């Protein structure tokens, strides 16, 4: 058996372990009773160690070296490149740290479920300190191995090859025009009042609407399902994709847009290349690309006037006729811009400010410029600076609102804004390729968009690195100008 074949067998085995871990993680966030948290944390940590041990066994390095000398075709070479990247990412970390990181993250997340409703920053901070300490240790190890900065070393886990210098260039540009645009849009919308439909909105009716919308968006319910969690997410594996949302009875649009967002993630996963399932080449390219798919669904499509006018009668069908469900008002409501405290509920224009805030804090935290106890004051300062809002003493809707830091996902937040930039560029490319695309969407048929994404993004998996994937899909490198032009056309045009 060739070294390359031994590697493909190894990664197929790892993908099955990951399948089990994904299902255990989904259950942990949706169905597991609180009393099972410690045992589940230990079980998942054991699985993490098993996967790490399997990938970093001495013979794997030998197989990688031998496979590089074998006769492989282009796709096999690309798969080997991704195998090498996965191995390098794993081999630098000691098993002790892998286990400790998994345990600390699971315990912090479970405690956060209780602490956030109670606004218990002190209790949350006690657990977060351990997560940060382990994340700093990981960052230091990765930085030394790769010759990068510590935060960049963690950023590369989610967006391989992206340097902090490039990220700062993109974000500095964003800081240059976003505040003025936000102010201008808020002022402009004052002349166009919005009526908010009054609840209550039955949760089961909201679920049925969500399922109907997922069906219209092409979600395959034979290979996935919709559930409820404290923080919406998309998880599972391509063969069994798990979506969650959260419902409020006083409004219905938030849960629905969350479902549309997660459906974008899910369609990407469900349409990854079947021939390469279980291999690194068959994975999604990066979190920035993943977020571009969810934001293409939610923002580019879901909040477009064409889609919203199709949605209006669906709201009436599921909740009955109500003031505010009129198509013109629904468009204004879904495109209403108003700075708020909660990131996942933020409008499209103010959302990037939430990402800038988190990026600045988590980068300083990982690089040791600040400590966990400094976060609330910095959060208050940056919320006032970027959004003009006061969060003093409101930890629940401030630095405790997101789940990402609980398990050490430092470096993840920037991918949301990278995804928004790429989504705008992809949508522009799809329109160029299909001049009648907007008319098709207005007629209730977004299939042309999905076919284009399937060809240019979904079916490509990880065959190309992110810059090459973007260039092949759109004909040019990532250009944040598309994002700015999109926001200005929709909200200030």
């Amino acid at each position: 058996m060739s070294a390359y074949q031994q590697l493909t067998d190894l990664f197929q085995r790892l993908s099955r372990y990951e399948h089990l871990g994904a299902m255990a993680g989904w259950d942990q966030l949706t169905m597991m009773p609180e009393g099972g948290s410690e045992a589940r944390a230990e079980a998942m940590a054991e699985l993490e160690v098993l996967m790490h041990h399997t990938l970093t066994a001495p013979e794997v390095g030998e197989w990688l070296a031998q496979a590089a000398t074998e006769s492989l075709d282009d796709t096999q070479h690309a798969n080997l490149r991704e195998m090498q990247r996965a191995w390098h990412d794993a081999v630098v970390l000691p098993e002790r740290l892998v286990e400790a990181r998994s345990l600390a993250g699971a315990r912090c997340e479970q405690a956060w479920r209780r602490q956030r409703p109670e606004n218990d920053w002190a209790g949350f901070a006690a657990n977060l300190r351990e997560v940060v300490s382990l994340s700093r240790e990981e960052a230091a190890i990765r930085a030394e191995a790769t010759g990068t900065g510590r935060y960049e070393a963690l950023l590369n886990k989610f967006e391989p090859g992206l340097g902090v210098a490039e990220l700062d260039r993109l974000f500095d540009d964003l800081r240059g025009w976003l505040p003025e645009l936000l102010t201008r849009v808020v002022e402009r919308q004052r002349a166009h009042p919005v009526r908010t439909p009054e609840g209550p909105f039955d949760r089961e009716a909201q679920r049925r609407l969500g399922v109907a919308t997922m069906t219209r968006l092409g979600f395959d319910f034979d290979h996935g399902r919709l559930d409820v969690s404290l923080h919406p997410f998309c998880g599972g594996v391509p063969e069994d994709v798990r979506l969650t949302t959260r419902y409020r009875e006083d409004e219905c649009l938030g849960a629905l847009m969350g479902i549309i967002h997660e459906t974008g993630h899910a369609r990407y996963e469900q349409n990854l290349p079947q021939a390469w399932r279980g291999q690194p080449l068959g994975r999604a390219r990066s979190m920035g690309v993943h977020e571009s798919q969810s934001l293409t669904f939610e923002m580019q499509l879901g909040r477009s006037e064409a889609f919203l006018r199709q949605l209006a009668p669906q709201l009436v069908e599921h909740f009955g006729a109500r003031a505010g469900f009129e198509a013109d008002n629904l468009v204004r409501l879904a495109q209403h811009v108003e700075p708020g405290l909660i990131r996942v509920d933020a409008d499209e224009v103010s959302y990037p400010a939430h990402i800038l805030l988190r990026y600045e804090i988590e980068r300083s935290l990982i690089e040791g410029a600040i400590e966990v106890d400094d976060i609330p004051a910095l959060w208050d300062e940056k919320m006032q600076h970027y959004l003009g809002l006061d969060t003093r003493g409101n930890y629940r809707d401030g630095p405790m609102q997101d789940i990402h830091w609980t398990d050490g996902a430092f470096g993840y937040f920037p991918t949301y804004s990278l995804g928004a930039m790429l989504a705008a560029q992809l949508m522009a490319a799809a329109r160029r390729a299909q001049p009648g695309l907007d008319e098709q969407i207005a007629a209730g048929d977004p299939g042309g968009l999905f076919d284009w994404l399937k060809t240019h993004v979904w079916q490509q998996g990880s065959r190309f690195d992110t810059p090459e994937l973007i260039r092949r899909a759109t004909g040019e490198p990532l250009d944040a100008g598309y994002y700015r032009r999109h926001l200005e056309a929709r909200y200030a045009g």
Side-chain angles (χ1 to χ4, degrees), residues 40-102:
R40 179 63 54 84
E42 292 172 353
M44 292 181 71
E46 187 72 25
L47 183 58
E48 287 266 0
V49 170
L50 173 62
M51 291 167 60
H52 182 268
H53 183 75
T54 301
L55 181 55
T56 60
E59 62 270 20
V60 178
E62 297 171 4
W63 293 341
L64 288 167
Q66 179 61 36
T69 69
E70 295 174 350
S71 178
L72 306 176
D73 62 27
D74 289 346
T75 53
Q76 290 172 328
H77 272 298
N79 195 38
L80 180 60
R81 178 200 67 219
E82 294 302 305
M83 290 174 171
Q84 290 167 333
R85 185 172 67 83
W87 179 78
H88 281 294
D89 282 350
V91 77
V92 298
L93 297 184
E95 286 187 3
R96 168 199 57 78
L97 179 57
V98 172
E99 181 177 26
R101 185 186 58 186
S102 179

Side-chain angles (χ1 to χ4, degrees), residues 150-161:
R150 295 188 177 191
Y151 181 77
E152 185 171 312
L154 297 186
L155 174 67
N156 279 187
K157 291 169 57 180
F158 305 104
E159 199 59 45

Side-chain angles (χ1 to χ4, degrees), residues 143 213-214 372 424:
T213 303
M214 291 168 68
V372 168

